[in-house]
Amino acid sequence: MATSLLSTQTEHLQRPDSLASIISTGLYSAPFYFVRHMNPSDQTWQAGRYLIDLSVPVVMGIVNVTPDSFSDGGAHADLASAIQHGEKLLADGAKILDVGGESSRPGARTLSPEEEWARVGGLIKEAVKWDVPISVDTYKPETMARALDLGVDIINDIRALGGPGAERIVASHASCGICLMHMQGLPENMQDSPHYVDPIHEVRAFLQARATKLESLGVSRKRITLDPGYGFGKSVQDNLQLLQQQPTLAALGYPLLVGWSRKSTIGAITGRPVEQRLAGSLAAALASIQLGARIIRVHDVAETVDAIKVWQAAGLV
């Protein structure tokens, strides 16, 4: 096995008239503080053919082979443009590519395994030839199995391997990386009326239970990352509370993979439409890194890589 040292989704929310309602909840009442080096400097992620170095935050570039994703739907729906986009993200500094064929935006049509594979299969066959970890964003066990057979390195599952047979498929693989994400509800209803008594406690408990289950099946914890699922069955307030308390998730000891890129919480805070959310997305990415995240899943790779370089040069990573 080769070892290499390697340095979408949305919620459907209304923008508040002001941030007063958020501030009044107390989410911004505590002084902002930095959480540096939440993870050991030698932390790595075993991801198929690769051992990914997480001592410096890693950028995961999004390749959506979909006609209906919330941000870039249709932009890379054919094989040639998807390959070209993947190559561009690598040139821009992505250390992982995440390939997805089914939109998880609210109201998106659910695909059959055959339809999903028709979208992603060709790109995966090409991308596994590149010297980079390849992730597939899927909750379908059939797609997981076919992708792993082709040499995909990471399974990124918004349903945390809750599908029938999904746990068995990844547990039977010798080394694939796994991302377990929290989502309340399903994409078709997750933003109807998300509700938590204690968001951080509930998200933490869910992710800990899913990771523990995988370990009980023989999966090394070195293969597991956790994603709090910003925007998946969560209100603006829920997302911001989770971000502020993200060190509690990092303290579980698994690397954190997060995705804020262009999401509607950014729009709710800034008042910007999806195509104007770059600055807000960069701020959220840096805040997440400062609060313990090690893998940042983004559309805008070059800009995120540059922001992290400056953050690192300032001694904040």
Short mmCIF file of all heavy atoms in Angstrom, two decimals, residues 181-222:
data_model
loop_
_atom_site.label_atom_id
_atom_site.label_comp_id
_atom_site.label_asym_id
_atom_site.label_seq_id
_atom_site.Cartn_x
_atom_site.Cartn_y
_atom_site.Cartn_z
N MET A 181 -21.11 11.61 9.45
CA MET A 181 -21.71 12.93 9.62
C MET A 181 -23.01 12.84 10.41
O MET A 181 -23.75 11.85 10.29
CB MET A 181 -21.98 13.58 8.25
CG MET A 181 -22.26 15.07 8.34
SD MET A 181 -22.95 15.76 6.83
CE MET A 181 -24.68 15.32 7.07
N HIS A 182 -23.30 13.90 11.16
CA HIS A 182 -24.57 13.99 11.86
C HIS A 182 -25.59 14.72 10.99
O HIS A 182 -25.30 15.76 10.40
CB HIS A 182 -24.43 14.76 13.17
CG HIS A 182 -25.74 14.96 13.88
ND1 HIS A 182 -26.58 16.04 13.60
CD2 HIS A 182 -26.38 14.22 14.81
CE1 HIS A 182 -27.66 15.95 14.34
NE2 HIS A 182 -27.57 14.85 15.09
N MET A 183 -26.80 14.17 10.93
CA MET A 183 -27.91 14.82 10.24
C MET A 183 -29.19 14.50 11.01
O MET A 183 -29.46 13.34 11.31
CB MET A 183 -28.02 14.33 8.79
CG MET A 183 -29.24 14.84 8.04
SD MET A 183 -29.20 14.42 6.26
CE MET A 183 -29.13 12.61 6.29
N GLN A 184 -29.97 15.51 11.31
CA GLN A 184 -31.28 15.28 11.92
C GLN A 184 -32.31 15.21 10.80
O GLN A 184 -32.49 16.18 10.06
CB GLN A 184 -31.64 16.39 12.90
CG GLN A 184 -32.94 16.12 13.67
CD GLN A 184 -33.29 17.26 14.61
OE1 GLN A 184 -33.98 18.19 14.24
NE2 GLN A 184 -32.81 17.18 15.86
N GLY A 185 -32.98 14.06 10.66
CA GLY A 185 -33.94 13.89 9.58
C GLY A 185 -33.24 13.46 8.30
O GLY A 185 -32.12 12.95 8.31
N LEU A 186 -33.91 13.70 7.18
CA LEU A 186 -33.39 13.38 5.86
C LEU A 186 -33.40 14.64 5.01
O LEU A 186 -34.10 15.60 5.34
CB LEU A 186 -34.25 12.29 5.21
CG LEU A 186 -34.29 10.95 5.94
CD1 LEU A 186 -35.32 10.02 5.29
CD2 LEU A 186 -32.92 10.29 5.97
N PRO A 187 -32.64 14.67 3.91
CA PRO A 187 -32.60 15.90 3.11
C PRO A 187 -33.97 16.44 2.73
O PRO A 187 -34.18 17.66 2.68
CB PRO A 187 -31.79 15.48 1.89
CG PRO A 187 -30.84 14.46 2.42
CD PRO A 187 -31.66 13.68 3.43
N GLU A 188 -34.92 15.54 2.48
CA GLU A 188 -36.23 16.00 2.05
C GLU A 188 -37.03 16.69 3.16
O GLU A 188 -38.00 17.41 2.89
CB GLU A 188 -37.05 14.85 1.46
CG GLU A 188 -37.20 13.65 2.36
CD GLU A 188 -36.19 12.56 2.09
OE1 GLU A 188 -35.04 12.90 1.72
OE2 GLU A 188 -36.53 11.37 2.25
N ASN A 189 -36.63 16.48 4.44
CA ASN A 189 -37.40 17.12 5.51
C ASN A 189 -36.54 17.75 6.61
O ASN A 189 -37.07 18.31 7.57
CB ASN A 189 -38.35 16.09 6.15
CG ASN A 189 -37.62 14.89 6.73
OD1 ASN A 189 -36.46 14.97 7.13
ND2 ASN A 189 -38.31 13.75 6.77
N MET A 190 -35.22 17.70 6.47
CA MET A 190 -34.34 18.07 7.58
C MET A 190 -34.45 19.53 8.01
O MET A 190 -34.14 19.88 9.15
CB MET A 190 -32.88 17.74 7.23
CG MET A 190 -32.33 18.52 6.06
SD MET A 190 -30.65 17.97 5.62
CE MET A 190 -30.29 19.06 4.24
N GLN A 191 -34.87 20.41 7.09
CA GLN A 191 -34.96 21.82 7.44
C GLN A 191 -36.39 22.28 7.69
O GLN A 191 -36.64 23.48 7.84
CB GLN A 191 -34.32 22.68 6.36
CG GLN A 191 -32.80 22.53 6.27
CD GLN A 191 -32.09 22.73 7.58
OE1 GLN A 191 -31.25 21.92 7.97
NE2 GLN A 191 -32.41 23.79 8.31
N ASP A 192 -37.34 21.33 7.77
CA ASP A 192 -38.73 21.72 8.02
C ASP A 192 -38.88 22.35 9.39
O ASP A 192 -39.48 23.42 9.54
CB ASP A 192 -39.65 20.50 7.89
CG ASP A 192 -39.78 20.03 6.45
OD1 ASP A 192 -39.32 20.76 5.55
OD2 ASP A 192 -40.32 18.94 6.23
N SER A 193 -38.36 21.70 10.40
CA SER A 193 -38.45 22.24 11.76
C SER A 193 -37.42 21.56 12.66
O SER A 193 -37.77 20.81 13.58
CB SER A 193 -39.86 22.03 12.35
OG SER A 193 -40.21 20.66 12.29
N PRO A 194 -36.11 21.78 12.40
CA PRO A 194 -35.10 21.15 13.24
C PRO A 194 -35.24 21.60 14.69
O PRO A 194 -35.53 22.76 14.97
CB PRO A 194 -33.78 21.62 12.63
CG PRO A 194 -34.13 22.85 11.86
CD PRO A 194 -35.53 22.67 11.39
N HIS A 195 -35.05 20.66 15.61
CA HIS A 195 -35.22 20.97 17.03
C HIS A 195 -34.25 20.14 17.85
O HIS A 195 -34.11 18.94 17.65
CB HIS A 195 -36.64 20.68 17.49
CG HIS A 195 -36.82 20.86 18.97
ND1 HIS A 195 -36.85 22.10 19.57
CD2 HIS A 195 -36.96 19.94 19.97
CE1 HIS A 195 -37.01 21.95 20.88
NE2 HIS A 195 -37.08 20.65 21.14
N TYR A 196 -33.59 20.80 18.79
CA TYR A 196 -32.69 20.14 19.73
C TYR A 196 -32.95 20.69 21.13
O TYR A 196 -33.29 21.86 21.30
CB TYR A 196 -31.23 20.43 19.37
CG TYR A 196 -30.80 19.93 18.01
CD1 TYR A 196 -31.03 20.69 16.87
CD2 TYR A 196 -30.17 18.70 17.87
CE1 TYR A 196 -30.64 20.25 15.63
CE2 TYR A 196 -29.77 18.24 16.62
CZ TYR A 196 -30.02 19.02 15.51
OH TYR A 196 -29.63 18.57 14.27
N VAL A 197 -32.76 19.84 22.10
CA VAL A 197 -32.74 20.31 23.49
C VAL A 197 -31.35 20.85 23.80
O VAL A 197 -31.19 21.92 24.40
CB VAL A 197 -33.11 19.17 24.45
CG1 VAL A 197 -32.94 19.63 25.90
CG2 VAL A 197 -34.53 18.69 24.19
N ASP A 198 -30.33 20.12 23.36
CA ASP A 198 -28.94 20.50 23.59
C ASP A 198 -28.14 20.06 22.37
O ASP A 198 -27.70 18.91 22.29
CB ASP A 198 -28.41 19.82 24.85
CG ASP A 198 -26.99 20.23 25.20
OD1 ASP A 198 -26.29 20.77 24.32
OD2 ASP A 198 -26.57 19.98 26.34
N PRO A 199 -27.96 20.95 21.38
CA PRO A 199 -27.33 20.54 20.11
C PRO A 199 -25.99 19.85 20.27
O PRO A 199 -25.76 18.79 19.68
CB PRO A 199 -27.20 21.86 19.33
CG PRO A 199 -28.26 22.74 19.89
CD PRO A 199 -28.37 22.38 21.34
N ILE A 200 -25.08 20.44 21.04
CA ILE A 200 -23.75 19.85 21.11
C ILE A 200 -23.78 18.48 21.78
O ILE A 200 -23.08 17.55 21.36
CB ILE A 200 -22.76 20.80 21.83
CG1 ILE A 200 -21.32 20.30 21.68
CG2 ILE A 200 -23.13 20.99 23.29
CD1 ILE A 200 -20.80 20.29 20.27
N HIS A 201 -24.60 18.33 22.82
CA HIS A 201 -24.69 17.04 23.49
C HIS A 201 -25.27 15.98 22.55
O HIS A 201 -24.76 14.85 22.48
CB HIS A 201 -25.56 17.15 24.75
CG HIS A 201 -25.81 15.82 25.40
ND1 HIS A 201 -24.88 15.19 26.19
CD2 HIS A 201 -26.89 14.99 25.35
CE1 HIS A 201 -25.36 14.03 26.61
NE2 HIS A 201 -26.58 13.89 26.12
N GLU A 202 -26.30 16.34 21.82
CA GLU A 202 -26.95 15.36 20.94
C GLU A 202 -26.06 14.98 19.76
O GLU A 202 -25.97 13.81 19.39
CB GLU A 202 -28.29 15.92 20.47
CG GLU A 202 -29.30 16.07 21.60
CD GLU A 202 -30.56 16.81 21.18
OE1 GLU A 202 -31.16 16.45 20.15
OE2 GLU A 202 -30.94 17.78 21.88
N VAL A 203 -25.39 15.97 19.16
CA VAL A 203 -24.50 15.67 18.04
C VAL A 203 -23.31 14.85 18.51
O VAL A 203 -22.92 13.86 17.88
CB VAL A 203 -24.04 16.98 17.36
CG1 VAL A 203 -22.95 16.71 16.33
CG2 VAL A 203 -25.24 17.66 16.70
N ARG A 204 -22.73 15.23 19.64
CA ARG A 204 -21.58 14.50 20.18
C ARG A 204 -21.95 13.06 20.49
O ARG A 204 -21.21 12.13 20.13
CB ARG A 204 -21.07 15.21 21.43
CG ARG A 204 -19.91 14.49 22.11
CD ARG A 204 -19.57 15.14 23.44
NE ARG A 204 -18.71 14.29 24.25
CZ ARG A 204 -17.40 14.46 24.41
NH1 ARG A 204 -16.79 15.45 23.81
NH2 ARG A 204 -16.70 13.63 25.17
N ALA A 205 -23.09 12.86 21.15
CA ALA A 205 -23.50 11.51 21.52
C ALA A 205 -23.72 10.64 20.30
O ALA A 205 -23.34 9.46 20.26
CB ALA A 205 -24.76 11.56 22.38
N PHE A 206 -24.35 11.21 19.27
CA PHE A 206 -24.61 10.45 18.04
C PHE A 206 -23.29 10.04 17.38
O PHE A 206 -23.10 8.86 17.02
CB PHE A 206 -25.44 11.29 17.08
CG PHE A 206 -25.59 10.66 15.72
CD1 PHE A 206 -26.58 9.71 15.48
CD2 PHE A 206 -24.75 11.03 14.68
CE1 PHE A 206 -26.70 9.13 14.22
CE2 PHE A 206 -24.87 10.47 13.42
CZ PHE A 206 -25.85 9.50 13.19
N LEU A 207 -22.39 10.99 17.20
CA LEU A 207 -21.14 10.69 16.51
C LEU A 207 -20.28 9.72 17.31
O LEU A 207 -19.65 8.81 16.74
CB LEU A 207 -20.37 11.98 16.23
CG LEU A 207 -21.03 12.92 15.21
CD1 LEU A 207 -20.26 14.23 15.14
CD2 LEU A 207 -21.14 12.27 13.85
N GLN A 208 -20.25 9.88 18.62
CA GLN A 208 -19.50 8.95 19.45
C GLN A 208 -20.05 7.53 19.32
O GLN A 208 -19.29 6.55 19.20
CB GLN A 208 -19.53 9.39 20.91
CG GLN A 208 -18.82 8.43 21.87
CD GLN A 208 -17.32 8.43 21.68
OE1 GLN A 208 -16.63 9.28 22.23
NE2 GLN A 208 -16.81 7.46 20.92
N ALA A 209 -21.37 7.41 19.32
CA ALA A 209 -21.98 6.08 19.21
C ALA A 209 -21.68 5.43 17.86
O ALA A 209 -21.40 4.23 17.79
CB ALA A 209 -23.49 6.20 19.40
N ARG A 210 -21.73 6.22 16.80
CA ARG A 210 -21.45 5.66 15.48
C ARG A 210 -19.98 5.23 15.36
O ARG A 210 -19.67 4.17 14.81
CB ARG A 210 -21.78 6.68 14.38
CG ARG A 210 -23.25 7.07 14.32
CD ARG A 210 -24.16 5.85 14.17
NE ARG A 210 -23.91 5.17 12.91
CZ ARG A 210 -23.90 3.84 12.77
NH1 ARG A 210 -24.12 3.06 13.81
NH2 ARG A 210 -23.68 3.30 11.58
N ALA A 211 -19.07 6.03 15.88
CA ALA A 211 -17.66 5.67 15.83
C ALA A 211 -17.39 4.43 16.68
O ALA A 211 -16.64 3.53 16.26
CB ALA A 211 -16.80 6.84 16.30
N THR A 212 -17.99 4.39 17.85
CA THR A 212 -17.80 3.23 18.73
C THR A 212 -18.32 1.96 18.06
O THR A 212 -17.69 0.89 18.15
CB THR A 212 -18.51 3.46 20.06
OG1 THR A 212 -17.94 4.61 20.70
CG2 THR A 212 -18.37 2.26 20.98
N LYS A 213 -19.45 2.07 17.37
CA LYS A 213 -19.99 0.90 16.67
C LYS A 213 -19.01 0.40 15.61
O LYS A 213 -18.77 -0.81 15.50
CB LYS A 213 -21.34 1.25 16.04
CG LYS A 213 -21.95 0.13 15.21
CD LYS A 213 -22.29 -1.10 16.07
CE LYS A 213 -22.88 -2.24 15.24
NZ LYS A 213 -24.15 -1.86 14.59
N LEU A 214 -18.45 1.30 14.85
CA LEU A 214 -17.49 0.88 13.82
C LEU A 214 -16.27 0.21 14.45
O LEU A 214 -15.79 -0.82 13.96
CB LEU A 214 -17.05 2.07 12.98
CG LEU A 214 -17.98 2.55 11.88
CD1 LEU A 214 -17.29 3.63 11.05
CD2 LEU A 214 -18.42 1.40 10.98
N GLU A 215 -15.77 0.78 15.52
CA GLU A 215 -14.62 0.18 16.19
C GLU A 215 -14.95 -1.21 16.70
O GLU A 215 -14.10 -2.12 16.66
CB GLU A 215 -14.13 1.08 17.31
CG GLU A 215 -13.48 2.36 16.80
CD GLU A 215 -12.86 3.17 17.92
OE1 GLU A 215 -11.96 2.65 18.61
OE2 GLU A 215 -13.28 4.32 18.12
N SER A 216 -16.19 -1.41 17.14
CA SER A 216 -16.59 -2.75 17.61
C SER A 216 -16.61 -3.77 16.48
O SER A 216 -16.53 -4.98 16.73
CB SER A 216 -17.96 -2.69 18.28
OG SER A 216 -19.01 -2.56 17.32
N LEU A 217 -16.69 -3.27 15.24
CA LEU A 217 -16.68 -4.14 14.07
C LEU A 217 -15.27 -4.35 13.53
O LEU A 217 -15.09 -4.97 12.48
CB LEU A 217 -17.57 -3.55 12.97
CG LEU A 217 -19.07 -3.46 13.30
CD1 LEU A 217 -19.81 -2.74 12.18
CD2 LEU A 217 -19.66 -4.84 13.54
N GLY A 218 -14.29 -3.80 14.24
CA GLY A 218 -12.91 -4.00 13.85
C GLY A 218 -12.27 -2.88 13.06
O GLY A 218 -11.14 -3.01 12.59
N VAL A 219 -12.98 -1.77 12.91
CA VAL A 219 -12.43 -0.62 12.16
C VAL A 219 -11.51 0.17 13.08
O VAL A 219 -11.91 0.58 14.17
CB VAL A 219 -13.56 0.29 11.64
CG1 VAL A 219 -12.97 1.52 10.97
CG2 VAL A 219 -14.46 -0.47 10.67
N SER A 220 -10.28 0.39 12.63
CA SER A 220 -9.34 1.18 13.42
C SER A 220 -9.82 2.62 13.54
O SER A 220 -10.32 3.21 12.57
CB SER A 220 -7.96 1.17 12.74
OG SER A 220 -7.11 2.14 13.32
N ARG A 221 -9.67 3.21 14.72
CA ARG A 221 -10.07 4.59 14.90
C ARG A 221 -9.24 5.53 14.04
O ARG A 221 -9.66 6.66 13.76
CB ARG A 221 -10.03 4.99 16.37
CG ARG A 221 -8.66 5.09 16.98
CD ARG A 221 -8.73 5.42 18.48
NE ARG A 221 -9.19 6.78 18.72
CZ ARG A 221 -10.29 7.09 19.40
NH1 ARG A 221 -11.08 6.15 19.88
NH2 ARG A 221 -10.62 8.36 19.60
N LYS A 222 -8.07 5.09 13.59
CA LYS A 222 -7.24 5.90 12.70
C LYS A 222 -7.92 6.14 11.35
O LYS A 222 -7.51 7.02 10.59
CB LYS A 222 -5.89 5.22 12.48
CG LYS A 222 -4.90 5.39 13.61
CD LYS A 222 -4.36 6.82 13.63
CE LYS A 222 -3.18 6.96 14.58
NZ LYS A 222 -2.67 8.35 14.60
#
